[in-house]
Amino acid sequence: SWSWDRTSWQTYATNLSAFPAAQSEHLQQKMSENGALPLRGKVLTLDTMNANVKKVDYAVRGPIVQRAVQIEKELKEGVKKPFEEVIKANIGDAHAMGQRPITFFRQVMALCTYPQLLDDNKFPEDAKNRARRILQSCGGNSIGAYTTSQGIDCVRHDVANYIQRRDGGIPSDPDNIYLTTGASDGIVTILKLLTTGEGRTRTGVMISIPQYPLYSASIAELGAVQINYYLNEEKCWSLDISELQRSLQAAREHCNPCVLCIINPGNPTGQVQSRQCIEDVIRFAAKENLFLMADEVYQDNVYAEGCAFHSFKKVLFEMGPEYSSKVELASFHSTSKCYMGECGFRGGYMEVMNMDPEVKAQLTKLVSVRLCPPAPGQALMDLVVNSPQPGEPSYQTFMKERTAVLSALAEKAKLTEEILNTVPGISCNPVQGAMYSFPRITLPERSINEAKAKGQAPDMFYCMKLLEETGICLVPGSGFGQREGTYHFRMTILPPTDKLKIMLNKLKEFHQKFTQQYS
Amino acid sequence: MAKEVSECTVWEIRVMKLMGTPVGDRNNWSISNYFYLQVLAACFYPALLEDDSLPLDVKQRAESLLRECDGGSVGSYTDSSGITKIKHCVSQFITRRDGGVPSSPDNIFIKSGSQTIMLKLLIHSKDSCQTGVLIPVPTYASFIIALEEQGAAIIPYHLCEEQGWTLQVEELRKALHTGRKTCNPVALYICNPGNPTGHIQSRKSIEEVIRFAAEERLFILADEVYQSCVYGDDTEFYSYKKVLSEMGSTICSTVELASFNSVSKGFMGECGLRGGYMELVNLDPAVKEYASRLFSARSCPPVVGQIALDLMADPPKPGDPSFPTFSEVGEVFAELPGISCQPLKAGFFVFPCLHFSLKAIKWAKKRQMEPDMLYCLRLLEETGLHVRPGCEYGQRKDSHHIRFVKADDFHISLFKIKDAME
């Protein structure tokens, strides 16, 4: 007869899954015959779980945020702290920081949801017309109905028209447009589609360092190979083709690089790539047979003088048929950023160019699994690409609100760069676009050692201390990737200007204190 | 349908009163049984909170929900597993549903519809020994694609059509035995109520399945999204969690279960909003930590869907301004000859009973059609009104019903039906 203590059983049970199936069944039978079927070990443990999941890390909502939430609870319970509130400058959430939604968009959403309001004369005619149009395209005239998996027809048409206008007339086919649940959904879907092979033929995905951790998390989850190419911090985070070349060559030794991801305007770095740079990247992708993924969710967030947003698609087409008919490109946009800040709606789209038709069919099948993106998000995306035009009743107010948001962001971008650069030990590149600053911090040797002793990344150690002492919640640079031996943090520029000033000054004080403390 | 008051019949006035429409105000058809649409609209556009036309309970609910949103906006991100208050609301809903079985918000993850996260945790797509999932035949196509996408081996088990699509444990056993020859089965997927079968598992059947999963060490994935679509007097929905909780201490504290529910089916039918949740039972806490991480990498579920979930889990109660309209429907129907309706206890579907004359029944039989189906076709032809016949949903033999699909035309539907019956 057998006797097993629980832990032995669990180890044994997990090892069983490595046994040939028939043998394990035989063993189970034997054990039950002996009346010795022990306590049921869990089916799903860390050992039996999909190993890829263990590598998934999304710093933006990682341990520092968990601690911030805990501190907020403590503050509510009346625990005394050296500060009165936690400032969540970790996540690109504009509304959470007090930015107001665009009135027109919310009016149309209310009309779509509760069509009775179409009879209410407090709503402008242009809002009502948009609502009616959207509802007519929805099943059962309701925004609560399922939509087709690729997204509501009229919305995709409007997206195509927007892209065409934006790109100076270059045609866009609604069939190449997929509405998505935020841009993240589109990005992960394309990565899924492209990830294949085993060992040396496993898909390699090139991504900038620093990068937005959705990419590293998804690559880990899918078991693809992450290929880092470093942005040039000395040159305002610009992209060097020689660096792309170097990283690609090295990667070819151990995987099959076939995807090149680029975030423009950049997250977390805020750089806006020049037109020349974009052309160079396209040329590189063409030469090396890489599928280009252009994350352009911050396309309206461009502040620095001399900088402009150039869409990858536009540049691609202006480079002539040699490139425009060949290079495979997926570009992504979302309702979460720009001047809208509607993160909670989970609205987004992707446009795919030059995709093999059979692969595209598979893509269409893939998106059908999750049935459809949220209809309200699709409706909102429609409004973003089909916003009030000159002459329409809501135009004035719309433009006023849009301009106010973007100019406030531009002001805060400048302010952040200026103040941070006055701090000895902090150096901040110009925030050319997007919503973040990613300054480099010099950390005293002692603090680095203490962090390492704790098993913590030195910038995580720094950010944790910052949180505990000032209530400011940032994300350490280690969550985004950085050159070995350098340290950074990512801070959003979203808090209202007054609060931002206070925050930056507190940060300044803290850094000086920290440097002294660990000198 | 604008008419002067003097032109309305007494009956029509009664309907308008029922709908909460100010009688005589022919421009204002504000329908007060649109609680959840109004709450959503107010959440989108809070300026509506200053509107007099919205009932008090709508305003209060919208305000309390907006308070839970960062910056008071539904445009903000939320916690990746959902707004805490809404998770509490859902856990209370579950507890009520299950007759008191406790449910913790910590085990609830709000998500936008699919079961992919659990599949991601369970399935190793690279190993030499493929992970297997038992699935019923028939089942709906997109779930199969989801499994294929994760690289799972599909182990089909057949439902017994002759007995109304029941799940037989012997069939499960056979399937598992076959499956073990070629892969490593780890999970058992159940859809109850069934899609597409419409079958509802008996309590006994659920117990058998749980016992089977316990013996064979399988993780149960219980897809219960149709739980509020239960028609017929003799059927009752039992949740896997409830049944599990009532089965001996060894089983109830060890069998791992993930149950899924959503706002897409049942009385709300708001599929486009993508609101749903998953409740985890007996999951290894270390694994739960990783589940949370997977959720956080997906930022957060759509806020609108979360709000819809809150409204589903906590609808207007007796006494709330938005409640009474449901229960008075029966009286209105009483005025119509040949049609009667049970008091509406929930939901947006009205399922009145039609009393056909023998002549009408005979006529339908001659055309080889169900009488209510024929009625619906005639109604469509003569009035343009689209309702579904009861035979599509299940009803006692020789009883006939119709189901209204579009609640926002409800009052117009009533007028048309009345006209048609005359």
Side-chain angles (χ1 to χ4, degrees):
Chain A
S1 69
W2 301 0
S3 74
W4 295 74
D5 66 282
R6 191 158 194 197
T7 34
S8 320
W9 165 247
Q10 279 183 323
T11 321
Y12 185 75
T14 53
N15 289 336
L16 270 184
S17 58
F19 278 37
Q23 195 167 341
S24 85
E25 193 181 280
H26 171 75
L27 276 163
Q28 288 223 299
Q29 212 181 331
K30 260 247 146 358
M31 292 174 71
S32 64
E33 277 168 28
N34 289 343
L37 203 62
L39 272 176
R40 184 187 197 269
K42 286 204 187 288
V43 177
L44 188 56
T45 64
L46 287 189
D47 293 323
T48 62
M49 186 178 79
N50 177 357
N52 288 344
V53 173
K54 290 200 194 135
K55 303 181 227 147
V56 172
D57 229 318
Y58 182 66
V60 179
R61 286 173 181 257
I64 198 155
V65 180
Q66 286 162 6
R67 177 65 191 138
V69 170
Q70 222 179 351
I71 293 178
E72 275 179 324
K73 271 206 194 104
E74 289 172 20
L75 280 171
K76 252 199 194 138
E77 287 158 13
V79 177
K80 270 269 168 255
K81 300 250 174 221
F83 48 86
E84 278 165 9
E85 64 167 337
V86 171
I87 303 178
K88 295 238 198 68
N90 58 298
I91 190 166
D93 188 344
H95 292 196
M97 290 287 112
Q99 181 178 306
R100 307 300 300 280
I102 299 289
T103 306
F104 181 76
F105 293 167
R106 294 304 190 88
Q107 286 175 329
V108 179
M109 292 313 304
L111 288 163
C112 284
T113 304
Y114 183 44
Q116 266 45 43
L117 294 172
L118 289 166
D119 293 328
D120 186 331
N121 51 22
K122 289 199 250 10
F123 288 86
E125 241 357 89
D126 49 3
K128 292 185 182 180
N129 288 335
R130 301 271 194 310
R132 281 191 200 104
R133 184 159 175 279
I134 291 168
L135 286 175
Q136 263 156 30
S137 289
C138 293
N141 281 18
S142 161
I143 210 155
Y146 277 127
T147 75
T148 60
S149 309
Q150 203 170 333
I152 299 169
D153 247 19
C154 85
V155 179
R156 289 187 295 116
H157 274 87
D158 290 348
V159 168
N161 286 336
Y162 160 80
I163 294 173
Q164 202 160 310
R165 279 193 317 270
R166 179 198 69 189
D167 293 345
I170 294 166
S172 172
D173 183 353
D175 231 19
N176 290 335
I177 310 281
Y178 289 77
L179 300 184
T180 55
T181 306
S184 301
D185 173 33
I187 291 165
V188 174
T189 301
I190 296 291
L191 285 174
K192 241 184 243 179
L193 204 61
L194 295 168
T195 299
T196 180
E198 301 251 348
R200 276 209 66 181
T201 62
R202 192 70 177 159
T203 299
V205 180
M206 295 180 72
I207 181 65
S208 57
I209 296 300
Q211 48 100 41
Y212 171 52
L214 167 72
Y215 289 91
S216 48
S218 308
I219 290 168
E221 201 183 299
L222 293 168
V225 179
Q226 183 171 332
I227 304 168
N228 298 334
Y229 65 86
Y230 290 84
L231 298 176
N232 192 336
E233 186 163 14
E234 278 70 50
K235 293 213 191 123
C236 203
W237 298 114
S238 63
L239 209 165
D240 292 331
I241 297 297
S242 54
E243 169 56 19
L244 281 181
Q245 196 71 62
R246 174 213 65 79
S247 94
L248 178 65
Q249 229 131 286
R252 284 207 164 116
E253 304 286 311
H254 61 268
C255 70
N256 177 27
C258 38
V259 192
L260 171 53
C261 299
I262 180 160
I263 308 172
N264 181 51
N267 176 7
T269 52
Q271 94 284 3
V272 178
Q273 300 296 359
S274 69
R275 202 214 151 82
Q276 182 63 53
C277 173
I278 295 176
E279 276 187 29
D280 291 342
V281 171
I282 291 174
R283 218 163 269 126
F284 177 79
K287 174 164 147 259
E288 306 290 350
N289 251 323
L290 299 168
F291 188 107
L292 258 177
M293 289 177 65
D295 183 340
E296 298 175 327
V297 303
Y298 297 98
Q299 54 190 262
D300 293 332
N301 299 110
V302 176
Y303 318 121
E305 265 192 53
C307 288
F309 170 72
H310 302 280
S311 85
F312 263 78
K313 175 152 176 243
K314 178 169 200 264
V315 177
L316 176 65
F317 272 72
E318 288 174 351
M319 286 169 73
E322 180 196 343
Y323 294 97
S324 63
S325 63
K326 210 190 109 189
V327 175
E328 290 146 88
L329 168 71
S331 14
F332 306 91
H333 195 21
S334 149
T335 60
S336 304
K337 313 296 177 190
C338 294
Y339 61 90
M340 305 81 74
E342 298 282 11
C343 324
F345 275 81
R346 317 308 295 123
Y349 74 74
M350 63 184 170
E351 184 185 25
V352 298
M353 300 302 312
N354 296 324
M355 189 176 261
D356 177 305
E358 284 177 357
V359 175
K360 191 149 171 287
Q362 291 302 308
L363 172 61
T364 307
K365 185 178 92 173
L366 200 55
V367 301
S368 74
V369 174
R370 49 103 171 101
L371 298 172
C372 75
Q378 297 186 45
L380 190 63
M381 195 74 236
D382 188 67
L383 301 174
V384 171
V385 300
N386 192 14
S387 55
Q389 294 302 302
E392 289 193 289
S394 304
Y395 180 69
Q396 303 265 29
T397 311
F398 169 75
M399 282 311 289
K400 195 164 129 227
E401 291 175 353
R402 182 183 192 273
T403 309
V405 169
L406 290 176
S407 59
L409 285 171
E411 190 191 300
K412 291 188 279 190
K414 200 112 230 308
L415 185 73
T416 303
E417 182 200 339
E418 275 166 6
I419 296 184
L420 286 178
N421 278 326
T422 66
V423 186
I426 298 188
S427 130
C428 183
N429 267 323
V431 178
Q432 294 176 336
M435 291 177 175
Y436 318 96
S437 73
F438 195 66
R440 174 135 164 217
I441 50 177
T442 312
L443 297 177
E445 194 71 39
R446 264 187 57 208
S447 76
I448 296 176
N449 295 335
E450 190 168 322
K452 289 201 172 137
K454 277 187 162 177
Q456 247 182 357
D459 43 21
M460 171 64 95
F461 178 75
Y462 175 92
C463 288
M464 278 294 195
K465 281 253 179 273
L466 175 70
L467 175 63
E468 300 286 345
E469 289 177 28
T470 66
I472 299 172
C473 181
L474 309 176
V475 191
S478 46
F480 301 87
Q482 54 204 348
R483 277 207 185 275
E484 186 77 40
T486 65
Y487 308 105
H488 302 76
F489 60 71
R490 188 190 80 166
M491 187 189 101
T492 70
I493 58 169
L494 298 172
T497 311
D498 293 341
K499 201 174 255 184
L500 186 64
K501 279 195 190 133
I502 295 172
M503 198 181 104
L504 289 166
N505 283 307
K506 271 194 178 178
L507 194 53
K508 181 172 181 167
E509 270 172 38
F510 168 82
H511 190 86
Q512 287 166 334
K513 195 170 129 225
F514 184 89
T515 306
Q516 231 176 8
Q517 189 183 348
Y518 286 95
S519 63
Chain B
M1 273 217 77
K3 277 170 130 178
E4 293 299 341
V5 177
S6 55
E7 290 174 339
C8 300
T9 62
V10 171
W11 185 82
E12 281 171 344
I13 291 174
R14 200 146 171 219
V15 171
M16 283 190 262
K17 270 213 169 96
L18 177 72
M19 295 297 113
T21 311
V23 177
D25 180 358
R26 63 181 188 181
N27 289 320
N28 189 356
W29 288 102
S30 64
I31 308 287
S32 60
N33 59 341
Y34 291 143
F35 177 77
Y36 77 97
L37 297 180
Q38 293 168 329
V39 172
L40 285 170
C43 286
F44 281 139
Y45 188 50
L48 285 173
L49 293 170
E50 280 133 49
D51 222 79
D52 284 331
S53 62
L54 290 183
L56 188 62
D57 55 349
V58 166
K59 292 189 188 181
Q60 286 172 338
R61 183 68 72 97
E63 275 164 355
S64 86
L65 286 165
L66 286 173
R67 269 197 293 272
E68 301 303 315
C69 299
D70 281 348
S73 163
V74 295
S76 295
Y77 285 121
T78 72
D79 278 352
S80 24
S81 60
I83 293 171
T84 308
K85 180 168 177 287
I86 297 182
K87 290 197 295 178
H88 270 93
C89 180
V90 169
S91 72
Q92 281 161 4
F93 161 81
I94 294 171
T95 305
R96 276 194 315 269
R97 176 199 71 187
D98 293 343
V101 178
S103 166
S104 163
D106 287 338
N107 287 328
I108 295 184
F109 290 76
I110 299 181
K111 55 195 189 61
S112 84
S114 71
Q115 287 102 22
T116 1
I117 301 249
M118 279 323 298
L119 295 182
K120 267 201 205 298
L121 290 169
L122 287 162
I123 295 165
H124 297 252
S125 44
K126 282 197 300 186
D127 279 12
S128 49
C129 189
Q130 220 180 349
T131 314
V133 179
L134 285 146
I135 67 164
V137 175
T139 200
Y140 68 103
S142 50
F143 186 65
I144 298 193
I145 301 176
L147 285 173
E148 285 172 347
E149 195 201 321
Q150 292 305 317
I154 294 172
I155 309 167
Y157 63 89
H158 294 265
L159 301 173
C160 182
E161 182 168 10
E162 294 75 50
Q163 306 209 354
W165 298 112
T166 53
L167 207 168
Q168 322 235 290
V169 177
E170 262 326 292
E171 176 55 33
L172 280 180
R173 221 177 283 282
K174 250 199 300 185
L176 184 63
H177 179 83
T178 310
R180 281 204 168 118
K181 297 193 178 129
T182 53
C183 68
N184 176 32
V186 302
L188 167 57
Y189 172 82
I190 308 270
C191 189
N192 180 50
N195 177 8
T197 61
H199 169 73
I200 295 189
Q201 262 186 295
S202 67
R203 202 205 153 93
K204 180 157 170 283
S205 170
I206 297 176
E207 280 180 19
E208 286 172 354
V209 171
I210 293 176
R211 210 161 276 124
F212 174 76
E215 282 164 8
E216 303 293 348
R217 290 193 72 237
L218 295 168
F219 192 111
I220 301 180
L221 299 168
D223 187 339
E224 300 175 325
V225 299
Y226 290 95
Q227 58 186 265
S228 15
C229 297
V230 178
Y231 299 99
D233 296 339
D234 299 333
T235 40
E236 197 180 325
F237 167 77
Y238 293 98
S239 76
Y240 263 74
K241 178 162 175 240
K242 177 169 164 66
V243 178
L244 176 64
S245 70
E246 293 169 354
M247 290 172 76
S249 60
T250 322
I251 289 187
C252 81
S253 63
T254 58
V255 172
E256 292 143 271
L257 165 70
S259 29
F260 305 92
N261 194 6
S262 108
V263 304
S264 299
K265 320 294 173 191
F267 86 99
M268 283 197 76
E270 292 294 320
C271 347
L273 301 184
R274 314 310 287 127
Y277 70 81
M278 151 172 100
E279 185 183 22
L280 298 172
V281 180
N282 292 326
L283 192 72
D284 183 317
V287 174
K288 196 161 91 163
E289 174 55 40
Y290 282 100
S292 299
R293 282 206 206 172
L294 283 181
F295 271 88
S296 82
R298 283 155 176 71
S299 80
C300 73
V303 180
V304 181
Q306 297 190 47
I307 291 176
L309 204 50
D310 184 87
L311 300 173
M312 177 192 88
D314 187 14
K317 292 183 252 321
D320 291 349
S322 303
F323 185 84
T325 26
F326 288 117
S327 49
E328 286 162 26
V329 166
E331 293 163 26
V332 169
F333 274 107
E335 300 257 336
L336 294 173
I339 188 168
S340 66
C341 190
Q342 291 301 316
L344 292 185
K345 294 224 166 63
F348 258 60
F349 297 134
V350 189
F351 203 58
C353 184
L354 304 173
H355 308 287
F356 292 121
S357 64
L358 270 173
K359 192 164 144 216
I361 295 175
K362 273 211 183 109
W363 186 49
K365 268 217 167 87
K366 245 202 333 202
R367 290 161 160 247
Q368 293 187 324
M369 237 191 248
E370 286 297 323
D372 44 18
M373 174 67 95
L374 191 60
Y375 179 88
C376 289
L377 291 172
R378 282 294 297 276
L379 194 62
L380 181 63
E381 270 170 59
E382 287 175 24
T383 67
L385 183 64
H386 178 204
V387 300
R388 305 304 309 173
C391 57
E392 283 187 357
Y393 295 91
Q395 55 198 351
R396 271 225 181 81
K397 199 164 146 46
D398 293 331
S399 72
H400 312 285
H401 300 77
I402 49 172
R403 192 193 82 158
F404 290 96
V405 173
K406 286 173 72 163
D408 53 349
D409 290 329
F410 190 45
H411 56 293
I412 297 174
S413 310
L414 288 179
F415 293 141
K416 283 186 171 171
I417 297 222
K418 179 165 183 295
D419 291 341
M421 300 209 77
E422 271 155 9

